[in-house]
Amino acid sequence: GVPPVAFVAHMDHPGFEPIELRGSTIVAEARGGVPSSSFFNPVPVEAVFRDGKRLKAHLAGTDGDPKDRRVLVNIEEAPIHSLPALVVFDLPDFNCDGDLLRMRAADDLAGCATILSVMQDLVNNPAQGDVYGVFTRAEEVGLIGARIMAQEHSLPLDCLVVSLESSRELPGAILGSGPVIRVGDVTFTFSAEGEQVLHAAKEALVALDPAYQTQRQLMSGGTCEASGFAAWGYATTGMAFPLGNYHNATPEGGVVAEYIHVEDFWGGIQ
């Protein structure tokens, strides 16, 4: 009699899709939210091949009109004879820096890791109802995976969909002050019914540990999977980790690792 719950996170992150090889130079299209400021600087990147090999490279300006978001990638090592699978910023895969978790892609690796942690815990502590973990693709270009799942009713219609995101830090959604109960995004306000489930969980955790904390905020920095499911009639809610260096961009136009607070991450898993 307990309605099913689905935790949803996307596997996408801004990067570059190789489309043409010109000698040792790759022409690639910027995908997702790659900051355009990176196009005009020799930003270090890595060309990642399907066998796992990585070659050092750097961005070398745009190919044609900057509005087309096509960039030149110069390989710094031996000549290559085939296109890599993708090109990513040359940033740490993962680094625990005191209270901060720094990585190339906290958005939305942290959401995916949260789902896996929850599923691992459910092996030893089964839930009363069905719990789904959903990993989507093509979120950065328009929630494609989430919208197709919602349209085709891949999840039961009575399922509560909980979107898990790393989302840009905002006033009222501060790093180190706990995971954010997400009221909505820039597109939709989520359901009160769904939000109550998270509030009930918060109260249960506070009863066990009075120091446990969450935040509550409408995270207007973008649109998340919950909106894709809400449009097709699902009850939705969301939880977000406040994110530093959103889409690897600094206010000064630099390219750096994203980061979240370790206590926010642990609190979200709980």
Side-chain angles (χ1 to χ4, degrees):
V2 178
V5 175
F7 296 107
V8 183
H10 69 85
M11 297 190 295
D12 293 354
H13 186 74
F16 303 89
E17 180 182 356
I19 57 174
E20 183 183 346
L21 182 61
R22 299 176 185 169
S24 60
T25 298
I26 299 165
V27 181
E29 291 186 352
R31 297 296 192 187
V34 169
S36 57
S37 60
S38 67
F39 300 169
F40 308 102
N41 299 296
V43 174
V45 294
E46 287 186 323
V48 183
F49 292 81
R50 298 188 187 280
D51 61 1
K53 180 175 66 176
R54 297 185 180 190
L55 293 181
K56 299 294 184 181
H58 63 270
L59 301 185
T62 59
D63 182 56
D65 191 332
K67 294 181 181 178
D68 294 334
R69 295 177 64 79
R70 291 161 62 105
V71 299
L72 301 174
V73 182
N74 283 352
I75 299 294
E76 299 170 0
E77 302 181 31
I80 60 173
H81 305 287
S82 62
L83 287 173
L86 71 161
V87 175
V88 298
F89 290 125
D90 188 3
L91 295 168
D93 293 336
F94 174 83
N95 178 34
C96 188
D97 178 14
D99 290 332
L100 299 179
L101 302 176
R102 298 183 185 273
M103 61 197 88
R104 179 186 297 106
D107 175 14
D108 191 27
L109 183 61
C112 295
T114 300
I115 291 175
L116 292 174
S117 297
V118 169
M119 290 300 181
Q120 182 177 5
D121 184 68
L122 288 174
V123 171
N124 298 319
N125 302 286
Q128 292 182 344
D130 292 332
V131 180
Y132 298 87
V134 179
F135 304 93
T136 71
R137 296 296 304 272
E139 185 266 359
E140 296 286 357
V141 294
L143 303 173
I144 306 302
R147 289 195 288 117
I148 290 174
M149 283 194 69
Q151 183 178 357
E152 296 186 351
H153 297 155
S154 300
L155 295 170
L157 269 174
D158 63 342
C159 191
L160 170 61
V161 176
V162 184
S163 175
L164 305 180
E165 273 278 3
S166 302
S167 190
R168 187 200 308 267
E169 185 179 25
L170 295 170
I174 306 299
L175 274 116
S177 295
V180 179
I181 294 175
R182 190 169 187 170
V183 179
D185 59 22
V186 73
T187 304
F188 275 97
T189 302
F190 305 150
S191 72
E193 172 193 355
E195 187 179 332
Q196 276 302 113
V197 174
L198 297 186
H199 279 291
K202 170 196 172 182
E203 293 303 319
L205 288 164
V206 169
L208 295 172
D209 178 9
Y212 181 84
Q213 59 181 350
T214 63
Q215 306 173 78
R216 181 177 183 269
Q217 186 61 254
L218 192 150
M219 304 292 284
S220 57
T223 303
C224 69
E225 278 86 359
S227 283
F229 282 93
W232 289 91
Y234 286 88
T236 60
T237 188
M239 186 190 72
F241 303 117
L243 176 69
N245 295 335
Y246 175 70
H247 281 182
N248 301 117
T250 67
E252 299 76 27
V255 173
V256 292
E258 294 183 332
Y259 61 88
I260 60 174
H261 198 284
V262 64
E263 292 299 329
D264 298 341
F265 180 58
W266 174 236
I269 293 172
Q270 289 177 291

